Amino acid sequence: MKKNAVKYLILSVSAFFLCSCGEAQKEILHPDFELSYWIDIDLRHNPGRGYWKPADSLPADPVPERRHIANAVRCLRETYGADKLYVVYHRQFEPDAAREVLLRWKEEGVRRGVRIVPTVVPESYATPTTMNFTDSTLCEFAAWCLREIDPDEFGLYDVYVRQAPGSAQDAQMAVLRRAVGDRLVRIGLQPGEELSRHCKAGVEDTWTAECQGLTNELWEHPDSVGGTDVYGRKLLESWVRERAEGETRRIVWDMIPVAWDYDEPVDPLGYVCPGDDALINDPPVDGRIELCHKYISAGYPDGTMTPKFGGYSCDLHILEANSAGKPESPSFYEQLREGKSYTGYFSGAMEQIGGLYKKLGASKR
């Protein structure tokens, strides 16, 4: 028998015994299964230039210190189990400065075994909205990122539904796709939204379904409110089924560190969204993260071994917005910049997400 065949047989027998004996209950992950976070390139509570306001209307913001990036990458890896970071750039400073900063992120990522994927916000959320980059500037920046930072993926961030055919983003993405090929990933894909034809993968928001229900019992076994019981688990399952059955491309699922306000629910069961308010939002119900993992992975025929199930991600931009909104001092980003584990109001949720990531990461390794 050839050496490789013997090796494969040994691994197969080992896997069988592992799966038959206790330790064996570990999940087996597809090699591309990711455990990622979305994080702002400057590590600051800074939703101004290029986010809520046109980039050209404000002066450039300061770049982050090298030690702050090093501390953040180390903490996200060691404490919160990250193996990938979508580093989000919304023109806080100009592209030449962003290149230098991204090289620092990559240097620390290589040191810690964390993949860095540059991610841009193509269109601001200003009123009226503005495009953050010209076509040529974005194509040049993306080509550089794919050459110098990550050769396979370039992220496009939008948490609104603004990439439909005929939109300004769609037109720019078409130009970008022609320039860099099939390497675009949508961060912030919304449930029910068609993943752009220009993208190879998507990271999907799950906020409403994960928030619903004042208790895990109400989440897992929803009652009827307003003539429907498609809340919580059932809503999440419907979103997963939509992608598992109707999408051939890779989808990563969001694990939320921030939920909505549970203190004054609109309905007595907590199924109806009371709004999103950083002053009063609560953490997700304890244990909700593990339940979401259970039902998301069950929605795929081969669970975490399915290539279309791309893994989990988590939005740290929204965590910082709510941490600063409380207001917490120091805020989440301020603690992360110093390499400290977060101890604020949403720390329990981050510990649950980090625990899940580390458990899955151990199986992956």
Side-chain angles (χ1 to χ4, degrees):
M1 188 180 289
K2 292 183 178 179
K3 185 183 294 185
N4 286 344
V6 173
K7 181 179 179 182
Y8 179 78
L9 178 61
I10 292 170
L11 289 172
S12 299
V13 172
S14 300
F16 171 79
F17 279 108
L18 279 174
C19 290
S20 307
C21 309
E23 180 67 23
Q25 300 309 314
K26 282 186 176 180
E27 295 170 88
I28 303 173
L29 274 64
H30 189 274
D32 294 332
F33 193 97
E34 70 182 58
L35 302 162
S36 64
Y37 294 92
W38 331 343
I39 187 164
D40 291 290
I41 190 173
D42 54 353
L43 291 166
R44 295 174 59 229
H45 178 64
N46 183 28
R49 189 178 197 261
Y51 202 84
W52 293 116
K53 296 183 181 296
D56 292 331
S57 70
L58 295 170
D61 290 310
V63 300
E65 295 182 28
R66 185 182 299 272
R67 69 180 185 91
H68 289 161
I69 296 172
N71 287 337
V73 174
R74 176 182 58 78
C75 191
L76 289 170
R77 176 58 173 164
E78 295 178 359
T79 304
Y80 299 113
D83 63 18
K84 183 176 182 178
L85 297 176
Y86 294 100
V87 178
V88 180
Y89 169 53
H90 52 78
R91 254 190 83 191
Q92 296 96 319
F93 26 76
E94 291 306 296
D96 283 347
R99 289 181 175 92
E100 294 299 318
V101 175
L102 284 167
L103 287 171
R104 297 175 191 173
W105 278 97
K106 181 182 179 180
E107 179 182 347
E108 297 304 326
V110 170
R111 179 175 287 121
R112 302 293 176 183
V114 177
R115 185 177 168 192
I116 303 299
V117 177
T119 300
V120 300
V121 180
E123 185 176 5
S124 78
Y125 298 98
T127 305
T129 64
T130 53
M131 300 303 288
N132 275 330
F133 309 93
T134 65
D135 291 354
S136 60
T137 297
L138 184 56
C139 288
E140 290 170 7
F141 184 72
W144 180 89
C145 289
L146 289 162
R147 185 172 64 250
E148 302 294 338
I149 309 299
D150 185 274
D152 298 317
E153 293 184 344
F154 183 76
L156 298 167
Y157 171 108
D158 199 338
V159 293
Y160 288 178
V161 181
R162 304 190 296 181
Q163 295 187 345
S167 66
Q169 284 196 48
D170 177 67
Q172 188 169 74
M173 288 166 67
V175 175
L176 184 59
R177 168 67 186 270
R178 288 195 294 271
V180 302
D182 188 22
R183 295 191 277 185
L184 306 180
V185 178
R186 164 69 185 283
I187 316 302
L189 178 67
Q190 295 300 298
E193 180 187 6
E194 183 177 356
L195 178 60
S196 170
R197 63 190 186 278
H198 307 301
C199 293
K200 63 181 286 188
V203 179
E204 181 159 342
D205 187 9
T206 59
W207 192 68
T208 300
E210 289 196 45
C211 287
Q212 289 175 336
L214 296 180
T215 67
N216 285 330
E217 174 67 21
L218 290 170
W219 185 88
E220 199 168 9
H221 307 287
D223 288 340
S224 180
V225 172
T228 182
D229 66 351
V230 183
Y231 299 109
R233 171 185 63 84
K234 289 187 177 182
L235 183 59
L236 183 62
E237 285 180 323
S238 73
W239 293 348
V240 174
R241 185 166 55 251
E242 175 185 52
R243 301 298 182 186
E245 296 177 358
E247 180 58 73
T248 60
R249 291 166 289 182
R250 187 169 173 270
I251 299 294
V252 177
W253 297 93
D254 187 27
M255 286 291 175
I256 64 169
V258 175
W260 59 44
D261 177 32
Y262 293 119
D263 297 324
E264 296 184 13
V266 175
D267 65 287
L269 306 180
Y271 293 146
V272 179
C273 179
D276 177 13
D277 188 337
L279 295 175
I280 59 174
N281 282 341
D282 289 318
V285 175
D286 189 43
R288 187 68 52 89
I289 300 301
E290 276 285 354
L291 278 175
C292 289
H293 164 56
K294 172 183 175 180
Y295 287 102
I296 291 171
S297 58
Y300 288 89
D302 296 322
T304 52
M305 272 299 292
T306 308
K308 292 197 301 181
F309 180 12
Y312 293 122
S313 200
C314 174
D315 180 2
L316 300 182
H317 174 91
I318 198 67
L319 176 55
E320 171 61 18
N322 280 264
S323 174
K326 282 296 176 197
E328 295 181 333
S329 183
S331 72
F332 169 67
Y333 273 169
E334 288 170 337
Q335 293 179 60
L336 194 63
R337 290 201 302 263
E338 298 304 321
K340 297 177 180 178
S341 299
Y342 172 58
T343 58
Y345 186 53
F346 305 96
S347 59
M350 280 300 294
E351 289 167 7
Q352 291 175 64
I353 294 168
L356 174 64
Y357 277 22
K358 287 194 280 189
K359 179 183 75 172
L360 292 172
S363 298
K364 186 175 179 180
R365 288 191 294 276

